[in-house]
Amino acid sequence: MVELRRGGEAAFEAEIETVEMHTGGEPVRIVVSGYPQIPGATILDKRRYARERLDHLRKLLIYEPRGHFDMYGVIPVEPDLPGADLAVLFIHNEGYSTMCGHATIALGRYAVDHGLVEPKTPVTDLAIQCPCGLVRVKVDVRETEKGFVSGAVSFESVPSFAVALDQDLEIEGLGRVRFDIAYGGAFYALVDTASLCLDLEHSPLAQLVEIADRITRALSAELKLEHPDDPDLAFLYGTILTDGGDGRDRPSRNLCVFADREVDRSPTGSGVSARMAVQVARGQVGLGETRRFESLTGAVFSAKATFAERAGWFDAVRIEVGGHAYYSGRSRFSVEAGDPLGSGFLLR
C-alpha cells in the first residue's frame, strides 16, 4: 500500500536559509535565517511551542521535495542556561529530538567557522544547550594563512545511565526478545542482532528497520520510562541493533532506527553514550577507557567514559564522544503560491 503523508498548511511567504552538513553520512540541515522566533522560558518550553505552533515548518524542511524520509535538521533558539554559547532544537521526520550527537558534532564546526564563538588553537571550547541539557563541545582548530580551520569534534553530553539490563519481552513475530534500555540524552533499547538470528553485514536493511521499529513500539507500549529532570525526556526514542561487540579491539557496528523508522547513517552519538552506559554498568569498561563504534556507512565515533556521578536515582556516567562532520552546501527554501505539495509530503 502506498502512503502519501502531506505536510499540512503551506502558508509561508518568507524564505528559510540553511547550511547543509553531514556526520558519517547523516544529514544536518542547520537553519541560519528565516525561521520565526520561538518563545518560551526554557528550551523544553520552546520545544513544546515549536511542536504545537510551528510544526508545519518542520515538515516543510524535513519532508519531500526539500528533504526526505531520513532528513535531520537543527533550529537555533535563544539559550536559557548560563554559560551556553548557543541553543538548538533538533527536528526529524516525526518531531523533535531531545539530544543528537551527530548534529552536535556538526554544530561544533559550524559555531567556530561562522563566528558564534571565538576560535582558539589548538582546541576551541563551547557549550551547546540541547533539550536534554548543557553539552560541552571541543573543536580541533588550526591556524593557516587563510584563517582558522576547524576539524575533529568531541562532546561530553549529559549524564548517561542504564535503566534495564538483560530484560526480555514476548514480541509478536519475534518471540522473546532480550534487550537493555539506557539513556544517553535520549532513551534507547539495545538489542544484539545475533539473538534475532540476524546480522548487520548481510541481513536486508528493510528487514532490520522493520524489526527495530517493532521492538520500539512493543517496548513503548509495555514500559513506563521516567527521567529525573523532566517528564518530556521520558520516552523511548528508538532501538539500536548491535553486532554484540564492545568496541575495544575493533569498532562495534550498530544500526539506530529512531523516530518514525528513521535510519541513522552515523554511529549515533546519543546511542553510543547509551551503549557506553550499559558497558560501564556491567563493568566492561572503566573510567578513562575508550571504545569505538561504527555505522553502516563505515563512519566511526570514539567514546570515552570520563567520570561517574548520579542522575536523580540512577548511577550515571559522563561520556565523551568524538567524530567528524563535513559541509555539503547551502540552501534557500520557499513555497510558491498555488503549489499543492508545497507544504511537504512523505511517500512510502
Side-chain angles (χ1 to χ4, degrees):
M1 178 180 177
V2 176
E3 177 189 1
L4 176 65
R5 187 186 313 172
R6 293 182 180 271
E9 64 175 283
F12 183 72
E13 298 179 355
E15 290 185 334
I16 295 178
E17 295 188 19
T18 64
V19 166
E20 309 289 321
M21 301 184 71
H22 79 89
T23 308
E26 180 70 0
V28 187
R29 174 164 286 169
I30 304 171
V31 172
V32 296
S33 68
Y35 215 89
Q37 185 173 0
I38 301 176
T42 70
I43 196 166
L44 289 176
D45 290 338
K46 294 178 175 72
R47 181 172 175 266
R48 282 188 289 270
Y49 184 94
R51 186 174 58 211
E52 295 168 5
R53 305 287 293 276
L54 297 173
D55 203 47
H56 61 288
L57 296 181
R58 173 187 66 86
K59 295 171 182 175
L60 185 146
L61 288 172
I62 296 297
Y63 285 12
E64 301 176 55
R66 303 167 190 85
H68 52 79
F69 198 85
D70 297 304
M71 177 56 70
Y72 201 94
V74 174
I75 306 169
V77 295
E78 285 296 318
D80 60 82
L81 286 181
D85 295 292
L86 63 152
V88 294
L89 301 180
F90 302 117
I91 55 176
H92 50 67
N93 68 8
E94 187 181 54
Y96 302 79
S97 307
T98 55
M99 174 55 189
C100 181
H102 90 272
T104 297
I105 289 170
L107 284 164
R109 287 199 66 198
Y110 173 82
V112 169
D113 297 340
H114 290 79
L116 302 185
V117 295
E118 181 182 354
K120 297 180 180 179
T121 59
V123 175
T124 299
D125 295 304
L126 64 143
I128 301 177
Q129 184 183 5
C130 303
C132 64
L134 198 65
V135 177
R136 304 288 182 180
V137 181
K138 294 182 179 295
V139 184
D140 289 349
V141 177
R142 58 188 176 87
E143 190 171 5
T144 71
E145 294 180 354
K146 295 182 178 181
F148 293 98
V149 177
S150 61
V153 179
S154 64
F155 67 87
E156 186 179 80
S157 188
V158 295
S160 299
F161 48 85
V163 176
L165 299 178
D166 300 317
Q167 301 296 301
D168 60 80
L169 179 71
E170 185 74 25
I171 298 179
E172 184 178 356
L174 300 178
R176 295 206 73 83
V177 174
R178 194 174 186 85
F179 63 89
D180 305 317
I181 292 181
Y183 180 83
F187 284 99
Y188 295 96
L190 309 175
V191 178
D192 183 347
T193 51
S195 69
L196 304 170
C197 298
L198 300 168
D199 71 76
L200 296 176
E201 294 287 343
H202 304 102
S203 299
L205 179 60
Q207 182 183 20
L208 295 171
V209 172
E210 170 62 30
I211 287 174
D213 182 64
R214 190 180 301 179
I215 293 171
T216 298
R217 292 179 184 276
L219 294 182
S220 295
E222 290 292 328
L223 304 178
K224 179 177 174 55
L225 295 174
E226 295 182 328
H227 193 281
D229 291 343
D230 195 289
D232 266 10
L233 302 174
F235 64 94
L236 189 63
Y237 188 38
T239 291
I240 298 176
L241 302 177
T242 81
D243 65 1
D246 63 6
R248 181 194 299 267
D249 298 321
R250 62 176 181 83
S252 173
R253 176 164 282 205
N254 61 224
L255 169 68
C256 176
V257 181
F258 65 99
D260 183 9
R261 301 165 66 97
E262 187 159 342
V263 176
D264 196 338
R265 274 70 173 164
S266 83
T268 309
S270 52
V272 163
S273 298
R275 289 192 65 184
M276 286 288 283
V278 166
Q279 291 192 33
V280 170
R282 287 201 171 107
Q284 297 172 331
V285 62
L287 297 181
E289 294 184 359
T290 298
R291 298 289 185 267
R292 293 182 298 154
F293 301 89
E294 180 184 43
S295 72
L296 296 190
T297 66
V300 174
F301 285 174
S302 64
K304 180 171 68 175
T306 56
F307 64 91
E309 59 182 313
R310 295 283 293 178
W313 51 91
F314 294 105
D315 291 324
V317 62
R318 294 277 181 161
I319 307 297
E320 182 180 88
V321 178
H324 292 81
Y326 301 91
Y327 291 95
S328 54
R330 300 183 69 95
S331 300
R332 179 179 294 173
F333 297 112
S334 60
V335 178
E336 184 177 2
D339 182 354
L341 297 175
S343 60
F345 66 93
L346 290 177
L347 189 64
R348 298 294 281 180

